[in-house]
Amino acid sequence: MPSDQESDQTGEPSPKELVNLDEIETLAVEDSAIDAESIEVDDYAAIRAENEQLRKQLAAQQSTTTKTRSSGQHTWRKILAGVLAALAIITLVAGFSIVWLQTTLGDEDQFVATLAPLPQEEAVASVLALRVADGVVEAANVEAYVAETLPAELEFIALPVTNSITTVVATASQEVITSDVFNAIWSTALRVTHKSVSAVLNGNDGALVAEGGQVAIDLDEVAAQVAGEVESLGFDLPEGDLELGQIVIYEDEQLAVVQAIAQTLDAASWFVPLLAVVFIVAAIWVSYDRRRMTAILGFGTAIGLALSLIGLRMGRNWLINAIEEETRQIAAGAAWDTIVNRLYEMMWAGLILALIVGIAAWVMGPGSRAVRTRAWASETIEGWRRPVAADPNSFTNFVANWKPTIEVVAVAAGLIYILFGPSPSGFSVLLTAAIVLAVVVATEVLAAPEPVETAQADNVDVLATVEIIDD
């Protein structure tokens, strides 16, 4: 019989303490020296009970150890999955701004498409027209010209006359700026500027030297157009070339910084989205509940993009409020909205797509509301399906046979259009999602099962065939 003292010292049974009853019985039979009657029935029952108790204690101890290890692993996996999900959301949200910035600055067509509409904004055109008018009046030395032309006794009205001429020139300038001719000039100037910027950023510093150490948009051609418009109104400007100068983007002192930013941006434009995909896949793979993790990623990304949109709006207000003159404030706001409009659209598209993913993952979950939602959808589709099921045809049979393929192709086509199609927007994502959902629902409705009578007839034929084989 095992020692109680040894068991108490360890607190848990040892496999050596387990009594093998079969060996006891075998020895009792083989060894004639031992009298079987000497083993009392009560002792035998006590040994069996103690043996069973030790077995249960050992099993319980092993189960506790297994649960403890499993609980520890589960905790670490939950923490790791949460960290990966947070990193995925951060990199994904940041990727929108990085990709937008890189494509806007790096792609010539996108650069022109982003900045070309600026002169069409009334507030921007007014500020540009006033700047052009001031430049024309100053370059032509209109005030001195007026003072020389007027009689000596009327020299005091030189300044009011000059202001009036400036107003006329500003009106003419705005007409020029909003004209198709200026749009062509502006687009050409943007393309030339982008080529200069690209050449410098790619390491061709000679392009910067050739431009006098600056990368800028030349306004002299605009001045010539404005001068022609003013003269067509009956005003004779002094002879000579008008020079309005340039809109400087950056100078040679800033070259190293600009090149470093451009190189970093170029690398980040593909690395950050790739890193986001890796984090997303890793978070879903590590998580115990992958459906729940998908929902977390969807809703988390939507929240992150919503916060980014709020941040952009706050940045816009801060920038505009920093400008004192009201006219320039309005122009700055219009310019901001025009330039950042594509980023807004991209973020809204991503937000709505993330919400769709999150809602889809939630609907597939075990929650009571999710179950009721699925039940409602199933009942609705079943109600639409009954008329089709009552009168099937070759088309409905085709849809039934290819139902999984049709639904997968529809979802894949929608995702490809959103990710790789024209610049996405919130409306385009909603429209695409609605079309995909309509295709899936139509497929479920048209893929009607066989009528009950046909199915019963097929069962009768099968039973008859089985009976013939048995006979």
Side-chain angles (χ1 to χ4, degrees):
M1 182 172 178
S3 173
D4 294 338
Q5 184 178 358
E6 295 178 357
S7 299
D8 293 338
Q9 291 176 353
T10 60
E12 57 185 46
S14 172
K16 294 181 179 179
E17 293 178 282
L18 299 178
V19 180
N20 193 324
L21 299 180
D22 294 335
E23 292 182 1
I24 293 176
E25 294 174 355
T26 303
L27 293 174
V29 174
E30 292 180 352
D31 192 355
S32 58
I34 300 176
D35 187 0
E37 293 180 357
S38 64
I39 302 178
E40 298 180 358
V41 176
D42 292 340
D43 293 339
Y44 182 81
I47 292 173
R48 178 180 289 277
E50 184 177 2
N51 183 69
E52 185 66 25
Q53 183 180 3
L54 293 174
R55 289 181 185 276
K56 290 181 178 178
Q57 291 178 4
L58 182 60
Q61 192 271 339
Q62 292 176 345
S63 176
T64 302
T65 302
T66 302
K67 289 181 179 178
T68 301
R69 293 176 180 175
S70 176
S71 176
Q73 293 176 355
H74 183 74
T75 301
W76 278 108
R77 285 187 66 175
K78 286 179 64 176
I79 294 174
L80 180 59
V83 172
L84 290 172
L87 292 174
I89 293 171
I90 292 172
T91 53
L92 189 60
V93 172
F96 279 86
S97 299
I98 293 173
V99 170
W100 168 79
L101 192 58
Q102 196 279 333
T103 54
T104 300
L105 298 180
D107 184 79
E108 181 178 322
D109 292 335
Q110 189 60 54
F111 178 80
V112 174
T114 301
L115 298 181
L118 281 178
Q120 302 303 313
E121 296 289 338
E122 184 177 355
V124 176
S126 298
V127 172
L128 286 176
L130 185 59
R131 173 174 175 175
V132 170
D134 289 339
V136 169
V137 171
E138 182 179 355
N141 200 11
V142 172
E143 185 175 358
Y145 176 77
V146 171
E148 292 176 359
T149 305
L150 292 173
E153 61 273 12
L154 296 178
E155 286 184 358
F156 67 92
I157 66 171
L159 182 59
V161 171
T162 302
N163 292 336
S164 300
I165 294 176
T166 302
T167 302
V168 173
V169 174
T171 302
S173 300
Q174 187 159 359
E175 292 181 0
V176 171
I177 289 172
T178 56
S179 66
D180 294 336
V181 174
F182 178 80
N183 286 336
I185 296 172
W186 177 252
S187 298
T188 302
L190 290 176
R191 290 192 182 277
V192 171
T193 302
H194 187 272
K195 285 181 170 62
S196 299
V197 172
S198 299
V200 173
L201 296 182
N202 290 330
N204 184 10
D205 298 352
L208 188 63
V209 175
E211 296 295 331
Q214 295 178 339
V215 172
I217 300 176
D218 193 355
L219 297 178
D220 289 342
E221 191 169 355
V222 179
Q225 295 289 332
V226 172
E229 183 70 19
V230 171
E231 290 178 354
S232 68
L233 297 176
F235 290 90
D236 292 330
L237 294 176
E239 295 183 0
D241 295 332
L242 299 179
E243 295 182 359
L244 294 183
Q246 301 169 326
I247 300 176
V248 179
I249 298 178
Y250 59 83
E251 299 180 346
D252 54 356
E253 295 86 359
Q254 304 165 326
L255 177 59
V257 176
V258 174
Q259 285 180 334
I261 293 175
Q263 293 172 0
T264 303
L265 188 62
D266 187 58
S269 64
W270 64 266
F271 179 73
V272 172
L274 178 62
L275 196 61
V277 173
V278 171
F279 283 142
I280 291 172
V281 173
I284 295 176
W285 181 74
V286 170
S287 177
Y288 278 101
D289 191 345
R290 294 173 179 173
R291 177 207 58 79
R292 185 170 179 270
M293 176 55 67
T294 302
I296 291 174
L297 289 171
F299 290 126
T301 302
I303 294 173
L305 289 172
L307 293 176
S308 297
L309 288 168
I310 294 174
L312 284 174
R313 178 60 61 178
M314 293 175 63
R316 177 187 184 277
N317 294 337
W318 175 83
L319 177 65
I320 293 174
N321 292 333
I323 301 174
E324 296 181 358
E325 188 177 347
E326 183 179 359
T327 304
R328 294 184 181 273
Q329 280 187 350
I330 298 173
W336 174 283
D337 294 338
T338 300
I339 295 173
V340 186
N341 179 64
R342 182 166 169 266
L343 178 59
Y344 284 145
E345 292 182 348
M346 290 173 59
M347 285 188 168
W348 274 111
L351 190 152
I352 294 174
L353 181 60
L355 282 178
I356 292 173
V357 172
I359 293 173
W362 170 80
V363 168
M364 300 303 296
S368 59
R369 293 183 179 179
V371 171
R372 288 197 297 269
T373 301
R374 293 200 302 271
W376 170 81
S378 179
E379 292 175 0
T380 302
I381 293 176
E382 186 63 29
W384 294 344
R385 179 185 292 165
R386 291 192 186 99
V388 178
D391 186 22
N393 51 50
S394 58
F395 178 72
T396 58
N397 292 334
F398 170 81
V399 174
N401 292 332
W402 292 90
K403 182 178 75 171
T405 303
I406 295 173
E407 294 178 351
V408 169
V409 169
V411 174
L415 288 175
I416 291 173
Y417 177 78
I418 292 173
L419 297 177
F420 304 103
S423 183
S425 63
F427 175 76
S428 66
V429 172
L430 282 176
L431 181 61
T432 303
I435 293 174
V436 171
L437 180 62
V439 172
V440 172
V441 171
T443 303
E444 291 290 337
V445 171
L446 294 175
E450 294 180 335
V452 178
E453 295 80 2
T454 304
Q456 291 177 348
D458 291 341
N459 291 335
V460 171
D461 293 340
V462 171
L463 292 174
T465 303
V466 171
E467 291 177 357
I468 293 173
I469 294 175
D470 291 339
D471 294 341

